[in-house]
Amino acid sequence: MYKINHIKIGGFMRLKDIDLPVRPLMVLIGANSAGKTSLRTAAH
């Protein structure tokens, strides 16, 4: 089984430069148009 430990995204939709450690349970909270859906789409 594979495990994602880290996500790094640059220049995707609203995400300019994201460097995010991944934990077993993560909750994304933020204002409208903050990039939550962009992060989910990029990680998919």
Side-chain angles (χ1 to χ4, degrees):
M1 183 163 89
Y2 295 100
K3 181 180 173 186
I4 297 172
N5 297 319
H6 193 84
I7 296 175
K8 187 169 184 173
I9 303 168
F12 181 78
M13 297 173 73
R14 291 186 52 92
L15 307 174
K16 301 296 181 200
D17 186 27
I18 299 293
D19 196 2
L20 183 68
V22 176
R23 298 193 173 116
L25 175 63
M26 292 186 65
V27 178
L28 297 175
I29 299 173
N32 291 344
S33 298
K36 299 178 299 288
T37 302
S38 297
L39 179 61
R40 185 183 59 86
T41 302
H44 188 316

Short mmCIF file of all heavy atoms in Angstrom, two decimals:
data_model
loop_
_atom_site.label_atom_id
_atom_site.label_comp_id
_atom_site.label_asym_id
_atom_site.label_seq_id
_atom_site.Cartn_x
_atom_site.Cartn_y
_atom_site.Cartn_z
N MET A 1 0.84 -1.18 0.00
CA MET A 1 0.00 0.00 0.00
C MET A 1 0.88 1.25 0.00
O MET A 1 1.86 1.33 0.71
CB MET A 1 -0.90 -0.01 1.23
CG MET A 1 -1.85 1.16 1.27
SD MET A 1 -3.22 0.93 2.40
CE MET A 1 -2.51 1.59 3.89
N TYR A 2 0.52 2.23 -0.82
CA TYR A 2 1.26 3.47 -0.92
C TYR A 2 0.66 4.52 -0.01
O TYR A 2 -0.54 4.52 0.26
CB TYR A 2 1.25 3.98 -2.36
CG TYR A 2 1.96 3.07 -3.30
CD1 TYR A 2 1.26 2.18 -4.09
CD2 TYR A 2 3.35 3.07 -3.39
CE1 TYR A 2 1.91 1.33 -4.96
CE2 TYR A 2 4.01 2.23 -4.25
CZ TYR A 2 3.28 1.36 -5.03
OH TYR A 2 3.94 0.52 -5.87
N LYS A 3 1.50 5.42 0.44
CA LYS A 3 1.05 6.50 1.32
C LYS A 3 1.63 7.82 0.81
O LYS A 3 2.82 7.91 0.55
CB LYS A 3 1.53 6.23 2.75
CG LYS A 3 1.11 7.27 3.73
CD LYS A 3 1.62 6.92 5.12
CE LYS A 3 1.32 8.05 6.07
NZ LYS A 3 1.93 7.80 7.37
N ILE A 4 0.77 8.82 0.68
CA ILE A 4 1.23 10.15 0.27
C ILE A 4 1.64 10.90 1.53
O ILE A 4 0.85 11.04 2.47
CB ILE A 4 0.11 10.91 -0.47
CG1 ILE A 4 -0.25 10.18 -1.76
CG2 ILE A 4 0.55 12.35 -0.75
CD1 ILE A 4 -1.45 10.74 -2.46
N ASN A 5 2.89 11.36 1.57
CA ASN A 5 3.42 12.06 2.74
C ASN A 5 3.52 13.56 2.53
O ASN A 5 3.60 14.31 3.50
CB ASN A 5 4.82 11.54 3.09
CG ASN A 5 4.79 10.09 3.48
OD1 ASN A 5 3.90 9.66 4.20
ND2 ASN A 5 5.75 9.34 3.01
N HIS A 6 3.51 13.99 1.27
CA HIS A 6 3.84 15.38 0.96
C HIS A 6 3.21 15.77 -0.38
O HIS A 6 3.21 14.97 -1.30
CB HIS A 6 5.36 15.50 0.88
CG HIS A 6 5.87 16.87 0.88
ND1 HIS A 6 6.08 17.56 2.04
CD2 HIS A 6 6.23 17.70 -0.11
CE1 HIS A 6 6.55 18.76 1.74
NE2 HIS A 6 6.64 18.85 0.43
N ILE A 7 2.68 16.97 -0.46
CA ILE A 7 2.15 17.50 -1.72
C ILE A 7 2.84 18.81 -2.02
O ILE A 7 2.89 19.69 -1.16
CB ILE A 7 0.61 17.73 -1.65
CG1 ILE A 7 -0.12 16.41 -1.45
CG2 ILE A 7 0.13 18.41 -2.91
CD1 ILE A 7 -1.60 16.56 -1.26
N LYS A 8 3.38 18.92 -3.22
CA LYS A 8 4.00 20.16 -3.67
C LYS A 8 3.37 20.54 -5.02
O LYS A 8 3.38 19.74 -5.95
CB LYS A 8 5.50 20.00 -3.82
CG LYS A 8 6.21 21.29 -4.12
CD LYS A 8 7.71 21.15 -3.99
CE LYS A 8 8.33 22.50 -4.19
NZ LYS A 8 9.76 22.47 -3.93
N ILE A 9 2.79 21.75 -5.09
CA ILE A 9 2.09 22.20 -6.28
C ILE A 9 2.57 23.61 -6.62
O ILE A 9 2.68 24.46 -5.74
CB ILE A 9 0.56 22.24 -6.04
CG1 ILE A 9 0.06 20.87 -5.60
CG2 ILE A 9 -0.17 22.71 -7.28
CD1 ILE A 9 -1.35 20.87 -5.07
N GLY A 10 2.81 23.84 -7.88
CA GLY A 10 3.21 25.18 -8.33
C GLY A 10 2.53 25.54 -9.63
O GLY A 10 2.57 24.78 -10.59
N GLY A 11 1.86 26.69 -9.65
CA GLY A 11 1.25 27.18 -10.88
C GLY A 11 0.05 26.41 -11.37
O GLY A 11 -0.15 26.27 -12.57
N PHE A 12 -0.76 25.87 -10.48
CA PHE A 12 -1.97 25.16 -10.86
C PHE A 12 -3.19 25.93 -10.39
O PHE A 12 -3.37 26.14 -9.19
CB PHE A 12 -1.98 23.76 -10.26
CG PHE A 12 -3.20 22.95 -10.62
CD1 PHE A 12 -3.30 22.36 -11.87
CD2 PHE A 12 -4.22 22.77 -9.72
CE1 PHE A 12 -4.41 21.62 -12.22
CE2 PHE A 12 -5.34 22.03 -10.05
CZ PHE A 12 -5.43 21.45 -11.30
N MET A 13 -4.01 26.38 -11.32
CA MET A 13 -5.21 27.16 -11.03
C MET A 13 -4.86 28.33 -10.10
O MET A 13 -4.03 29.14 -10.44
CB MET A 13 -6.32 26.25 -10.49
CG MET A 13 -6.76 25.19 -11.50
SD MET A 13 -7.91 23.98 -10.88
CE MET A 13 -9.41 24.91 -10.75
N ARG A 14 -5.46 28.41 -8.92
CA ARG A 14 -5.19 29.51 -7.99
C ARG A 14 -3.97 29.26 -7.11
O ARG A 14 -3.60 30.11 -6.31
CB ARG A 14 -6.41 29.76 -7.10
CG ARG A 14 -7.60 30.33 -7.83
CD ARG A 14 -8.71 30.68 -6.89
NE ARG A 14 -8.30 31.51 -5.79
CZ ARG A 14 -8.33 32.84 -5.78
NH1 ARG A 14 -8.74 33.49 -6.84
NH2 ARG A 14 -7.95 33.51 -4.72
N LEU A 15 -3.37 28.08 -7.20
CA LEU A 15 -2.27 27.71 -6.33
C LEU A 15 -0.94 28.11 -6.96
O LEU A 15 -0.52 27.55 -7.95
CB LEU A 15 -2.30 26.20 -6.06
CG LEU A 15 -3.63 25.65 -5.54
CD1 LEU A 15 -3.57 24.14 -5.46
CD2 LEU A 15 -3.99 26.26 -4.20
N LYS A 16 -0.28 29.08 -6.38
CA LYS A 16 0.98 29.57 -6.93
C LYS A 16 2.16 28.71 -6.50
O LYS A 16 2.96 28.28 -7.31
CB LYS A 16 1.23 31.02 -6.48
CG LYS A 16 0.14 31.98 -6.91
CD LYS A 16 0.06 32.07 -8.41
CE LYS A 16 -1.03 33.04 -8.79
NZ LYS A 16 -1.50 32.89 -10.12
N ASP A 17 2.29 28.47 -5.19
CA ASP A 17 3.42 27.69 -4.66
C ASP A 17 2.99 27.06 -3.33
O ASP A 17 2.99 27.73 -2.30
CB ASP A 17 4.64 28.57 -4.48
CG ASP A 17 5.87 27.78 -4.06
OD1 ASP A 17 5.95 26.59 -4.39
OD2 ASP A 17 6.75 28.37 -3.41
N ILE A 18 2.60 25.79 -3.37
CA ILE A 18 2.12 25.09 -2.18
C ILE A 18 3.09 23.97 -1.84
O ILE A 18 3.47 23.19 -2.71
CB ILE A 18 0.72 24.48 -2.43
CG1 ILE A 18 -0.29 25.57 -2.76
CG2 ILE A 18 0.26 23.65 -1.25
CD1 ILE A 18 -0.60 26.51 -1.65
N ASP A 19 3.48 23.89 -0.59
CA ASP A 19 4.34 22.82 -0.09
C ASP A 19 3.69 22.34 1.20
O ASP A 19 3.80 22.98 2.24
CB ASP A 19 5.74 23.37 0.16
CG ASP A 19 6.77 22.28 0.32
OD1 ASP A 19 6.42 21.10 0.21
OD2 ASP A 19 7.94 22.63 0.54
N LEU A 20 2.98 21.20 1.14
CA LEU A 20 2.11 20.79 2.22
C LEU A 20 2.43 19.38 2.70
O LEU A 20 2.34 18.42 1.93
CB LEU A 20 0.66 20.83 1.70
CG LEU A 20 -0.46 20.50 2.65
CD1 LEU A 20 -0.59 21.57 3.72
CD2 LEU A 20 -1.76 20.39 1.87
N PRO A 21 2.78 19.22 3.99
CA PRO A 21 2.91 17.86 4.53
C PRO A 21 1.52 17.27 4.70
O PRO A 21 0.58 17.97 5.06
CB PRO A 21 3.59 18.07 5.88
CG PRO A 21 3.33 19.48 6.25
CD PRO A 21 3.13 20.24 4.98
N VAL A 22 1.38 15.97 4.43
CA VAL A 22 0.08 15.31 4.49
C VAL A 22 0.05 14.41 5.72
O VAL A 22 0.97 13.66 5.98
CB VAL A 22 -0.16 14.47 3.21
CG1 VAL A 22 -1.45 13.71 3.30
CG2 VAL A 22 -0.16 15.39 1.99
N ARG A 23 -1.07 14.50 6.45
CA ARG A 23 -1.26 13.69 7.65
C ARG A 23 -2.42 12.72 7.39
O ARG A 23 -3.20 12.91 6.46
CB ARG A 23 -1.57 14.61 8.82
CG ARG A 23 -0.38 15.53 9.07
CD ARG A 23 -0.51 16.21 10.40
NE ARG A 23 0.72 16.94 10.66
CZ ARG A 23 0.80 18.25 10.78
NH1 ARG A 23 -0.28 18.99 10.66
NH2 ARG A 23 1.95 18.82 11.03
N PRO A 24 -2.58 11.70 8.23
CA PRO A 24 -3.65 10.72 7.99
C PRO A 24 -5.05 11.32 7.91
O PRO A 24 -5.88 10.87 7.14
CB PRO A 24 -3.55 9.78 9.19
CG PRO A 24 -2.12 9.88 9.62
CD PRO A 24 -1.72 11.30 9.34
N LEU A 25 -5.34 12.34 8.70
CA LEU A 25 -6.63 13.01 8.65
C LEU A 25 -6.39 14.50 8.47
O LEU A 25 -5.75 15.14 9.31
CB LEU A 25 -7.42 12.78 9.94
CG LEU A 25 -8.75 13.53 10.04
CD1 LEU A 25 -9.70 13.06 8.95
CD2 LEU A 25 -9.37 13.35 11.40
N MET A 26 -6.88 15.03 7.35
CA MET A 26 -6.70 16.46 7.08
C MET A 26 -8.04 17.09 6.76
O MET A 26 -8.85 16.49 6.06
CB MET A 26 -5.75 16.68 5.90
CG MET A 26 -4.34 16.28 6.19
SD MET A 26 -3.21 16.70 4.87
CE MET A 26 -3.28 18.47 4.88
N VAL A 27 -8.27 18.29 7.28
CA VAL A 27 -9.48 19.04 7.01
C VAL A 27 -9.07 20.37 6.42
O VAL A 27 -8.21 21.07 6.98
CB VAL A 27 -10.28 19.28 8.31
CG1 VAL A 27 -11.52 20.10 8.04
CG2 VAL A 27 -10.65 17.95 8.96
N LEU A 28 -9.63 20.71 5.26
CA LEU A 28 -9.32 21.99 4.62
C LEU A 28 -10.41 22.99 4.97
O LEU A 28 -11.59 22.76 4.68
CB LEU A 28 -9.25 21.82 3.10
CG LEU A 28 -8.15 20.92 2.59
CD1 LEU A 28 -8.27 20.76 1.09
CD2 LEU A 28 -6.80 21.47 2.96
N ILE A 29 -10.02 24.08 5.58
CA ILE A 29 -10.94 25.13 5.97
C ILE A 29 -10.41 26.44 5.41
O ILE A 29 -9.22 26.73 5.53
CB ILE A 29 -11.06 25.24 7.50
CG1 ILE A 29 -11.58 23.93 8.09
CG2 ILE A 29 -11.97 26.40 7.89
CD1 ILE A 29 -11.56 23.89 9.59
N GLY A 30 -11.28 27.22 4.80
CA GLY A 30 -10.85 28.51 4.26
C GLY A 30 -12.01 29.28 3.67
O GLY A 30 -13.10 28.74 3.48
N ALA A 31 -11.75 30.50 3.37
CA ALA A 31 -12.76 31.38 2.79
C ALA A 31 -13.10 30.93 1.36
O ALA A 31 -12.36 30.15 0.75
CB ALA A 31 -12.25 32.82 2.77
N ASN A 32 -14.20 31.46 0.84
CA ASN A 32 -14.54 31.20 -0.56
C ASN A 32 -13.41 31.70 -1.46
O ASN A 32 -12.80 32.73 -1.16
CB ASN A 32 -15.85 31.91 -0.93
CG ASN A 32 -17.04 31.31 -0.23
OD1 ASN A 32 -16.97 30.20 0.28
ND2 ASN A 32 -18.13 32.03 -0.21
N SER A 33 -13.13 30.98 -2.53
CA SER A 33 -12.08 31.32 -3.50
C SER A 33 -10.68 31.31 -2.90
O SER A 33 -9.79 31.99 -3.39
CB SER A 33 -12.36 32.70 -4.13
OG SER A 33 -13.58 32.67 -4.83
N ALA A 34 -10.48 30.51 -1.86
CA ALA A 34 -9.15 30.41 -1.23
C ALA A 34 -8.28 29.34 -1.89
O ALA A 34 -7.08 29.31 -1.67
CB ALA A 34 -9.29 30.12 0.26
N GLY A 35 -8.89 28.43 -2.66
CA GLY A 35 -8.13 27.40 -3.35
C GLY A 35 -8.33 25.99 -2.81
O GLY A 35 -7.59 25.08 -3.17
N LYS A 36 -9.34 25.79 -1.96
CA LYS A 36 -9.59 24.46 -1.41
C LYS A 36 -9.89 23.44 -2.50
O LYS A 36 -9.31 22.35 -2.51
CB LYS A 36 -10.75 24.51 -0.41
CG LYS A 36 -10.52 25.42 0.79
CD LYS A 36 -11.73 25.44 1.71
CE LYS A 36 -12.98 25.95 1.05
NZ LYS A 36 -13.02 27.37 0.77
N THR A 37 -10.77 23.78 -3.41
CA THR A 37 -11.12 22.86 -4.50
C THR A 37 -9.94 22.67 -5.46
O THR A 37 -9.72 21.57 -5.96
CB THR A 37 -12.35 23.37 -5.26
OG1 THR A 37 -13.43 23.50 -4.32
CG2 THR A 37 -12.76 22.42 -6.36
N SER A 38 -9.16 23.71 -5.68
CA SER A 38 -7.97 23.58 -6.53
C SER A 38 -6.99 22.59 -5.93
O SER A 38 -6.40 21.77 -6.65
CB SER A 38 -7.29 24.95 -6.70
OG SER A 38 -8.14 25.84 -7.35
N LEU A 39 -6.80 22.63 -4.63
CA LEU A 39 -5.90 21.70 -3.96
C LEU A 39 -6.42 20.27 -4.08
O LEU A 39 -5.67 19.34 -4.41
CB LEU A 39 -5.74 22.08 -2.48
CG LEU A 39 -4.85 21.17 -1.66
CD1 LEU A 39 -3.42 21.17 -2.21
CD2 LEU A 39 -4.85 21.59 -0.21
N ARG A 40 -7.70 20.07 -3.88
CA ARG A 40 -8.30 18.75 -4.01
C ARG A 40 -8.19 18.23 -5.44
O ARG A 40 -7.85 17.07 -5.67
CB ARG A 40 -9.77 18.78 -3.59
CG ARG A 40 -10.42 17.42 -3.60
CD ARG A 40 -11.89 17.49 -3.24
NE ARG A 40 -12.65 18.35 -4.14
CZ ARG A 40 -13.18 17.94 -5.30
NH1 ARG A 40 -13.01 16.70 -5.69
NH2 ARG A 40 -13.87 18.77 -6.05
N THR A 41 -8.43 19.09 -6.41
CA THR A 41 -8.34 18.70 -7.82
C THR A 41 -6.91 18.32 -8.19
O THR A 41 -6.68 17.34 -8.88
CB THR A 41 -8.85 19.84 -8.72
OG1 THR A 41 -10.19 20.14 -8.36
CG2 THR A 41 -8.78 19.45 -10.18
N ALA A 42 -5.96 19.09 -7.74
CA ALA A 42 -4.55 18.82 -8.05
C ALA A 42 -4.10 17.50 -7.40
O ALA A 42 -3.32 16.76 -8.01
CB ALA A 42 -3.68 19.96 -7.58
N ALA A 43 -4.57 17.22 -6.22
CA ALA A 43 -4.17 16.00 -5.51
C ALA A 43 -4.85 14.76 -6.08
O ALA A 43 -4.37 13.66 -5.90
CB ALA A 43 -4.48 16.13 -4.02
N HIS A 44 -5.95 14.95 -6.79
CA HIS A 44 -6.69 13.82 -7.34
C HIS A 44 -5.88 13.26 -8.47
O HIS A 44 -5.68 12.21 -8.80
CB HIS A 44 -8.04 14.29 -7.84
CG HIS A 44 -8.95 13.17 -8.24
ND1 HIS A 44 -8.55 12.10 -8.99
CD2 HIS A 44 -10.26 12.96 -8.00
CE1 HIS A 44 -9.57 11.30 -9.19
NE2 HIS A 44 -10.61 11.80 -8.61
#
